[in-house]
Amino acid sequence: MTGKAELDLVERGNDSLREKVPDPWLDRAYLFSFDLGQLLVKADASAQRGDLELAVEILDRAVAFGEDDWKAHVMRVNVFAKLGRVKDAVSSYQAAIRAGAHEGAALGELSSALLEQGQAMRLLELAEAALERVPDSADLQRLRSLAFREMGNLPRAEASLKRALQLMPESLEIARDLAVLLWERGKRSEAASYFTRLSRQSPLDVQSRTYLAQYYIENGQLEQAESFVTEALEIDSSNARLAELAKGYFIQYSYLEASAGDWVEVERLLELAKGLGPLTLDELKLQARAFRGMGKLEKAIALLRELAANYGDKPEVLMTLAELLEEQGRIEEAVEHYQAAVLRSGQFSAYAALRNAARARLAALSMSNE
C-alpha cells in the first residue's frame, strides 16, 4: 500500500484511504489493537458505513481492556440499537452509567430503539430511575416526556416538557417539542406563543412559521398570517405540503378581500396562489371578477373567453362573459353568449335564476334594437 500510484490516488481524492485503496484485512487488524482511541475511531467509521457487526467486534475489543471507559459502552448502545438488539443495548446503557456516562446522553442513544420496539414503559422506568440520580436533568425529563407521549398520557408528557424547559430555558429543541404537543392538545394560543419565540430565535425555522400561519388562518387573522406563509415559502420553496397550505391560504384570503371589494388585493393574492399551482374554475372566475372590479375589462373578457373554451358547459361563465360584452357595447357578441347561457342551463333548477336573467337581458336587448 505504499506504491506511488496508490499514494497519488489518496492525495488527489476527497474520499478516505479505505475507499480509494480497498484492503479487507486492514479492518480486522484493529481487533488486535491496544489503542483505545484508535479502536473507538475505527468502530465509529465502521458503523457510519453500515458495517455494524464489525463495529460490535471492535467495541467488544475496546471494552475488554477499557471497562471503565464510558465512551465505548455508549457507542455499543448506539450500535446494538441499530441492530435491533435491544436487550444488549440496555445492558450497554447500564454499563455506560456505571462507568460515569452522562445519564441523558446515554439514555438518549437507547430511547429510539425502545420506542421502536414498543417498550415505552421500559424507557419510562429507566428515565425515572435516572432522574432519581440526576433530578435536575432536562434531557431526562424530555425522554420521560417521550415515553409518556408514546403511552398516550399527554398531560404528563406536557408536564415533563415544561419541567425540562424550566431546567434548560435556552433549549429550542425542548421548546419546539412542547409547542407541538400543546398544539396537538388543542392549546393553540399557548402553542403559538412558543412558536413565535422559536420563529424569532431561528431565522430558518419553517415548522414554527407554518404552525403560526395555520394558527392565524384558523382564527381568521389572515393579514397576520401572510408574513409567516411567505417567510416559510422563502425558506423551503420545494416543500409540497407547505405549498399546498400556502395556496389554500392565499385563496381563502382572496375571497375575504373580495367580500370587502378590494379587487387589487384579490388579484395580488390569486397571482401568488397561481404561482403555487393551477387555479380551479371558481378561482379563475374570481380572478375575472377582480379584473372586472379593477376596470380591466379586456383582461376579464380574455380570461372568460378562455374559460368558455375550456368550460363551455358552465352557464355562469357564459353569463358573466355576456354581461361584460354588453357593458362594452358589443351587443351582438353579448346576445350570442346570453343565448348560449340559456341553452347550457337546460332545465336545471339550480340555474333557474340565471336562465331567467339571461332571457330578461335578451328581451331587453331585442326591444332596444326595434
Side-chain angles (χ1 to χ4, degrees):
M1 290 184 60
T2 57
K4 185 177 184 305
E6 287 83 354
L7 290 174
D8 287 344
L9 276 174
V10 174
E11 289 173 358
R12 290 199 308 269
N14 295 321
D15 296 331
S16 69
L17 178 65
R18 172 72 176 82
E19 293 167 316
K20 287 294 183 183
V21 190
D23 198 349
W25 62 264
L26 185 59
D27 284 338
R28 304 203 66 78
Y30 282 87
L31 298 176
F32 302 94
S33 172
F34 289 90
D35 185 325
L36 182 60
Q38 189 180 62
L39 286 167
L40 296 182
V41 169
K42 192 60 184 178
D44 182 61
S46 299
Q48 289 292 330
R49 69 165 185 266
D51 195 344
L52 299 177
E53 295 294 348
L54 177 61
V56 168
E57 289 188 72
I58 295 173
L59 288 171
D60 286 345
R61 170 71 175 175
V63 168
F65 60 88
E67 181 69 26
D68 295 332
D69 191 293
W70 60 264
K71 294 185 291 298
H73 294 295
V74 171
M75 290 178 69
R76 290 175 96 222
V77 174
N78 180 278
V79 174
F80 283 136
K82 288 178 179 177
L83 285 168
R85 293 167 58 178
V86 178
K87 185 176 180 180
D88 290 329
V90 171
S91 296
S92 295
Y93 159 74
Q94 292 167 335
I97 297 306
R98 289 194 297 270
H102 183 278
E103 295 267 5
L107 187 55
E109 294 287 344
L110 178 61
S111 61
S112 58
L114 289 172
L115 293 176
E116 286 172 9
Q117 295 290 322
Q119 298 188 40
M121 180 58 76
R122 182 65 171 137
L123 174 59
L124 178 61
E125 291 169 354
L126 292 171
E128 293 192 330
L131 280 166
E132 290 180 7
R133 297 187 292 269
V134 191
D136 293 333
S137 170
D139 290 332
L140 290 173
Q141 287 289 357
R142 182 168 178 266
L143 293 171
R144 185 171 180 260
S145 172
L146 284 176
F148 277 131
R149 182 168 186 166
E150 191 69 17
M151 295 162 63
N153 193 336
L154 299 188
R156 297 199 70 180
E158 179 186 329
S160 292
L161 278 177
K162 285 185 173 178
R163 176 57 181 155
L165 197 58
Q166 286 177 345
L167 294 166
M168 194 183 293
E170 73 280 5
S171 172
L172 300 182
E173 187 176 14
I174 295 173
R176 186 174 293 106
D177 287 349
L178 178 57
V180 171
L181 181 60
L182 289 167
W183 183 276
E184 292 175 357
R185 296 199 66 204
K187 299 182 177 183
R188 300 295 174 89
S189 180
E190 190 177 355
S193 67
Y194 284 104
F195 285 129
T196 299
R197 167 195 159 189
L198 289 163
S199 68
R200 289 171 180 164
Q201 293 180 295
S202 304
L204 300 180
D205 186 347
V206 173
Q207 184 188 43
S208 294
R209 287 167 171 78
T210 302
Y211 273 106
L212 285 168
Q214 190 171 341
Y215 172 74
Y216 286 115
I217 290 168
E218 288 180 357
N219 283 278
Q221 298 170 276
L222 300 182
E223 186 175 355
Q224 290 91 324
E226 183 166 359
S227 63
F228 295 110
V229 172
T230 53
E231 286 173 14
L233 283 172
E234 287 171 4
I235 297 168
D236 191 3
S237 59
S238 63
N239 186 322
R241 179 178 172 276
L242 175 59
E244 183 180 358
L245 170 70
K247 183 185 176 187
Y249 157 75
F250 289 129
I251 296 300
Q252 184 179 348
Y253 197 4
S254 69
Y255 276 104
L256 180 66
E257 293 300 298
S259 67
D262 192 341
W263 299 113
V264 173
E265 271 296 279
V266 172
E267 170 57 10
R268 181 184 74 84
L269 292 164
L270 287 175
E271 282 299 317
L272 289 171
K274 190 186 293 185
L276 298 170
L279 301 182
T280 66
L281 173 60
D282 285 340
E283 291 152 11
L284 289 167
K285 284 159 54 181
L286 179 61
Q287 188 173 40
R289 285 178 59 199
F291 287 142
R292 184 178 184 179
M294 294 162 65
K296 299 180 179 180
L297 297 185
E298 286 300 331
K299 290 190 75 170
I301 288 172
L303 177 54
L304 286 167
R305 285 190 186 281
E306 181 182 339
L307 295 182
N310 294 327
Y311 303 94
D313 58 340
K314 300 293 182 182
E316 64 270 29
V317 173
L318 299 167
M319 183 70 178
T320 305
L321 179 54
E323 290 170 344
L324 281 179
L325 291 167
E326 183 181 350
E327 282 182 29
Q328 287 203 311
R330 295 155 68 170
I331 304 304
E332 289 185 7
E333 292 178 82
V335 167
E336 177 187 341
H337 286 87
Y338 279 130
Q339 290 172 337
V342 172
L343 178 65
R344 293 295 183 185
S345 67
Q347 298 301 314
F348 297 112
S349 59
Y351 285 119
L354 181 148
R355 188 165 51 249
N356 291 336
R359 285 171 174 165
R361 291 312 308 151
L362 285 170
L365 292 173
S366 177
M367 289 179 62
S368 68
N369 287 335
E370 291 179 357

